[in-house]
Amino acid sequence: MCDFRDITLDDRSLVESYTFRAGIANCDLAFANIFCWRDTYSPALAIIDGFLVIRFRAEDGCTSYMQPLGEGDFTRIIPVLHDDACARGARLRIAGLTAEGAELLRSRFGGRFAFSARRASDDYIYRADDLRSLHGSRYQPKRNHINRFMQLYGDLWRYDELTPELFGECMRLEAQWSLGHSGDGVTAERRAMEQAFANFGALGLRGGCIHVGDRMAAFTLGSAIDRSTFCIHIEKADTCFEGAFAVINKLFAESLPAHYTSINREEDLGLEGLRRAKLSYHPERLWRKFTAVNLQPDESECRSLWAECFGDDEEFIDSFIVEIYSRERMLSIVEDGRMVSMLHIIPMQSRYGRTAYIYGVATAAGFRRRGHAGRLLQRAVERVDSEGYDAAILIPAGGSLCSFYSRYGFSDAGLPVVFAGDFDFGTGAADLDRAMVRMRGGAAFDGDSSTLECTFAG
């Protein structure tokens, strides 16, 4: 049994005695992040055979464990974590793995785990001196923003270290920002900010702010991940003040002690605008964070059949298994004790409304020409109709399959389709991503041949 307990403020020195030695620049290992977001992720810790293990509740509600930190090979405690997960009615999921940690786990446990690294979860790591100086032609746009700010506000602005008497203004600026945003993430971030301000000194936080006259224009705050990497946790600006983001970014980087040679500005969450903004500062690298999931039998069979039929590489298949796969959305046929045919109903949103994407239709080589794919497609369209989807689409692997799919109500529309997000649901060649369409209840296709954009809604 693992003796996990809730993380408290008093655990900072214990946690940092492991994280500061780990050489892992993951923003999730900053103690301030762990503590301030505890209402959302319910973190708990245990020391197991000399390794620090942090257990938490992931965004999807699943029990997860961060990569164990300590000296030597952490895979020796994997069976202990497996038993702890099982005792909680969960399967083992390890998050925040480094590339080296993922490879160690793969080599030790073979095909028992699937691995995935979501682009949306990559941390942006910058050279601190780049953000301090903004030197060179690639930073000219940033310098232009700063110069514009200086021209507009002249002697009216000032930069201050963030101190307790300014916290109320920060919360008012956050409230103003949140008027244009909504959702659980905004509420959770507000709670994290409240925790940060209530425990600012004890968490080792530091920050800065800009005022224009008597009005706060921007603020930022963060904490150390280790002795050389500082992490920016929160940064807000009033966009009425042109250039405020660029100014607070540079001035706060300048204020950091010289021993911080890297700055982690956390992930982009898959948000296009945030991604553009982070890339515009030219990160030195993206810190990939791998997740490993202990496979269930149906997932292992799906992975094997997928590899046999499509020949995709292990990274792509594992990404599908970890990020997209749902046994409730897979239809399959079992013969001779093994899965021999499958398809997946992927929920999407498109201009048609709720859209079912029929994906990964596959039958093992020795079991073809037995009608398996047809039976699964019939079940799929019946289910799509019963569940109230507005449309269903699929991308035939070749023109010869169009007549086959048309038997189940799919129109050969040659409809260009693109998929939003980081997972590529297409063929890998944009000019081949042409969809057949089945409207709700088999109604006639509406004839709109403009590109259909689909967003995963799982």
Side-chain angles (χ1 to χ4, degrees):
M1 286 292 293
C2 304
D3 187 20
F4 280 95
R5 59 176 176 79
D6 292 343
I7 289 177
T8 70
L9 198 57
D10 294 335
D11 290 316
R12 178 186 167 194
S13 60
L14 171 64
V15 170
E16 290 183 348
S17 71
Y18 286 87
T19 58
F20 274 41
R21 297 199 313 264
I24 299 176
N26 183 347
C27 71
D28 301 321
L29 294 180
F31 182 78
N33 264 344
I34 297 169
F35 180 83
C36 291
W37 288 85
R38 68 191 191 281
D39 287 348
T40 300
Y41 298 111
S42 301
L45 68 78
I47 306 299
I48 304 170
D49 197 15
F51 288 89
L52 170 70
V53 182
I54 296 173
R55 185 179 70 196
F56 66 99
R57 183 183 63 238
E59 292 177 357
D60 59 4
C62 294
T63 295
S64 297
Y65 304 80
M66 292 295 292
Q67 175 174 317
L69 303 179
E71 299 296 329
D73 182 355
F74 71 82
T75 63
R76 68 175 184 261
I77 69 168
I78 292 301
V80 181
L81 300 184
H82 178 271
D83 290 346
D84 183 74
C86 289
R88 295 173 61 82
R91 50 119 163 240
L92 181 57
R93 179 193 296 241
I94 304 173
L97 286 160
T98 62
E100 295 78 12
E103 184 55 38
L104 187 62
L105 195 61
R106 183 183 287 111
S107 65
R108 175 69 175 80
F109 291 97
R112 288 173 54 184
F113 287 89
F115 298 83
S116 177
R118 297 176 62 233
R119 173 64 179 82
S121 297
D122 291 351
D123 283 356
Y124 288 74
I125 311 292
Y126 304 84
R127 292 181 67 253
D129 283 346
D130 286 345
L131 299 190
R132 290 171 178 133
S133 68
L134 298 180
H135 179 71
S137 59
R138 64 180 181 170
Y139 287 112
Q140 185 63 54
K142 301 301 179 187
R143 297 197 300 273
N144 290 342
H145 287 309
I146 292 170
N147 291 337
R148 179 62 175 163
F149 182 91
M150 303 299 181
Q151 292 168 0
L152 286 172
Y153 306 113
D155 296 333
L156 295 176
W157 74 275
R158 70 182 187 277
Y159 174 84
D160 295 305
E161 178 186 353
L162 198 57
T163 53
E165 61 269 18
L166 298 171
F167 294 165
E169 285 187 80
C170 294
M171 292 304 299
R172 286 192 288 275
L173 178 53
E174 190 280 336
Q176 176 185 331
W177 171 87
S178 67
L179 290 175
H181 304 78
S182 61
D184 294 340
V186 173
T187 302
E189 185 182 50
R190 184 179 303 117
R191 290 199 302 266
M193 284 179 58
E194 291 168 350
Q195 289 296 321
F197 289 139
N199 302 280
F200 200 80
L203 289 171
L205 289 160
R206 61 191 303 156
C209 63
I210 296 170
H211 283 84
V212 175
D214 60 358
R215 185 172 163 188
M216 182 175 283
F219 74 91
T220 189
L221 62 90
S223 69
I225 297 175
D226 56 33
R227 291 180 179 84
S228 63
T229 306
F230 193 89
C231 186
I232 305 298
H233 302 318
I234 295 172
E235 188 173 273
K236 304 286 184 185
D238 184 339
T239 54
C240 292
F241 297 100
E242 185 178 343
F245 271 118
V247 173
I248 191 65
N249 190 320
K250 183 179 190 297
L251 294 183
F252 185 62
E254 288 178 352
S255 77
L256 292 174
H259 64 83
Y260 291 119
T261 56
S262 295
I263 294 177
N264 182 324
R265 293 186 60 81
E266 301 195 350
E267 60 270 275
D268 62 34
L269 306 175
L271 302 174
E272 184 178 348
L274 190 56
R275 181 168 295 182
R276 285 198 306 270
K278 289 180 184 290
L279 288 173
S280 72
Y281 275 95
H282 308 288
E284 180 183 26
R285 56 185 166 145
L286 298 179
W287 187 275
R288 300 194 78 193
K289 295 179 275 189
F290 291 83
T291 296
V293 174
N294 191 203
L295 291 174
Q296 302 296 325
D298 58 297
E299 294 167 328
S300 293
E301 290 198 82
C302 174
R303 182 164 70 170
S304 296
L305 183 57
W306 194 293
E308 175 189 341
C309 295
F310 301 122
D312 291 319
D313 60 34
E314 184 178 274
E315 181 178 351
F316 179 85
I317 301 170
D318 277 8
S319 181
F320 173 76
I321 295 293
V322 175
E323 305 295 339
I324 308 297
Y325 174 87
S326 165
R327 67 171 53 89
E328 288 77 21
R329 297 196 299 259
M330 180 179 70
L331 304 182
S332 63
I333 293 174
V334 175
E335 280 192 14
D336 298 340
R338 58 167 288 202
M339 183 190 298
V340 299
S341 191
M342 68 177 181
L343 63 74
H344 303 266
I345 302 173
I346 309 297
M348 298 278 181
Q349 282 291 329
S350 76
R351 65 171 175 260
Y352 297 127
R354 291 184 67 227
T355 302
Y357 178 35
I358 309 302
Y359 185 57
V361 183
T363 301
F367 296 84
R368 293 170 187 163
R369 300 187 182 280
R370 301 185 186 184
H372 291 334
R375 283 193 288 275
L376 291 180
L377 278 164
Q378 186 60 44
R379 287 168 52 191
V381 297
E382 290 171 358
R383 178 167 167 180
V384 165
D385 284 346
S386 70
E387 293 183 1
Y389 280 92
D390 299 296
I393 64 170
L394 55 78
I395 299 175
S400 62
L401 289 172
C402 291
S403 61
F404 170 70
Y405 290 126
S406 68
R407 300 176 202 167
Y408 302 93
F410 288 88
S411 298
D412 184 11
L415 183 67
V417 58
V418 296
F419 298 95
D422 292 325
F423 186 86
D424 184 6
F425 285 101
T427 62
D431 59 328
L432 298 179
D433 290 342
R434 297 292 186 269
M436 299 182 71
V437 183
R438 181 183 185 276
M439 303 304 291
R440 185 173 186 174
F445 172 56
D446 69 1
D448 186 346
S449 60
S450 60
T451 298
L452 182 70
E453 181 171 323
C454 296
T455 302
F456 177 54

mmCIF file of all heavy atoms in Angstrom, residues 21 94 201 222 246 383 455:
data_model
loop_
_atom_site.group_PDB
_atom_site.id
_atom_site.type_symbol
_atom_site.label_atom_id
_atom_site.label_comp_id
_atom_site.label_asym_id
_atom_site.label_seq_id
_atom_site.Cartn_x
_atom_site.Cartn_y
_atom_site.Cartn_z
ATOM 1 N N ARG A 21 16.446 18.791 -7.870
ATOM 2 C CA ARG A 21 17.534 17.907 -8.292
ATOM 3 C C ARG A 21 17.207 17.146 -9.574
ATOM 4 O O ARG A 21 18.076 16.513 -10.162
ATOM 5 C CB ARG A 21 17.855 16.866 -7.198
ATOM 6 C CG ARG A 21 18.350 17.426 -5.885
ATOM 7 C CD ARG A 21 19.050 16.350 -5.076
ATOM 8 N NE ARG A 21 18.295 15.102 -5.007
ATOM 9 C CZ ARG A 21 17.489 14.756 -4.001
ATOM 10 N NH1 ARG A 21 17.317 15.600 -2.991
ATOM 11 N NH2 ARG A 21 16.868 13.591 -4.001
ATOM 12 N N ILE A 94 0.470 7.443 -15.959
ATOM 13 C CA ILE A 94 1.611 8.230 -15.492
ATOM 14 C C ILE A 94 1.781 9.420 -16.429
ATOM 15 O O ILE A 94 1.917 9.253 -17.643
ATOM 16 C CB ILE A 94 2.905 7.390 -15.452
ATOM 17 C CG1 ILE A 94 2.697 6.151 -14.585
ATOM 18 C CG2 ILE A 94 4.064 8.220 -14.888
ATOM 19 C CD1 ILE A 94 3.852 5.182 -14.622
ATOM 20 N N GLY A 201 4.447 34.743 -0.117
ATOM 21 C CA GLY A 201 5.802 34.574 0.389
ATOM 22 C C GLY A 201 6.154 33.132 0.688
ATOM 23 O O GLY A 201 7.246 32.653 0.337
ATOM 24 N N GLY A 222 5.304 34.381 -10.845
ATOM 25 C CA GLY A 222 5.780 33.025 -11.069
ATOM 26 C C GLY A 222 6.670 32.560 -9.939
ATOM 27 O O GLY A 222 6.808 33.227 -8.910
ATOM 28 N N ALA A 246 4.021 43.117 -23.921
ATOM 29 C CA ALA A 246 5.442 43.091 -24.262
ATOM 30 C C ALA A 246 6.285 43.764 -23.183
ATOM 31 O O ALA A 246 7.390 43.298 -22.853
ATOM 32 C CB ALA A 246 5.669 43.771 -25.615
ATOM 33 N N ARG A 383 -26.818 3.358 -35.026
ATOM 34 C CA ARG A 383 -26.485 4.009 -33.756
ATOM 35 C C ARG A 383 -26.415 5.525 -33.913
ATOM 36 O O ARG A 383 -26.899 6.273 -33.058
ATOM 37 C CB ARG A 383 -25.154 3.466 -33.235
ATOM 38 C CG ARG A 383 -24.700 4.101 -31.946
ATOM 39 C CD ARG A 383 -23.578 3.320 -31.322
ATOM 40 N NE ARG A 383 -22.930 4.055 -30.264
ATOM 41 C CZ ARG A 383 -21.922 3.597 -29.545
ATOM 42 N NH1 ARG A 383 -21.445 2.373 -29.782
ATOM 43 N NH2 ARG A 383 -21.371 4.325 -28.596
ATOM 44 N N THR A 455 -14.382 19.594 -35.477
ATOM 45 C CA THR A 455 -13.676 19.717 -34.212
ATOM 46 C C THR A 455 -14.068 18.535 -33.327
ATOM 47 O O THR A 455 -15.258 18.289 -33.113
ATOM 48 C CB THR A 455 -14.040 21.033 -33.503
ATOM 49 O OG1 THR A 455 -13.719 22.131 -34.368
ATOM 50 C CG2 THR A 455 -13.276 21.177 -32.195
#
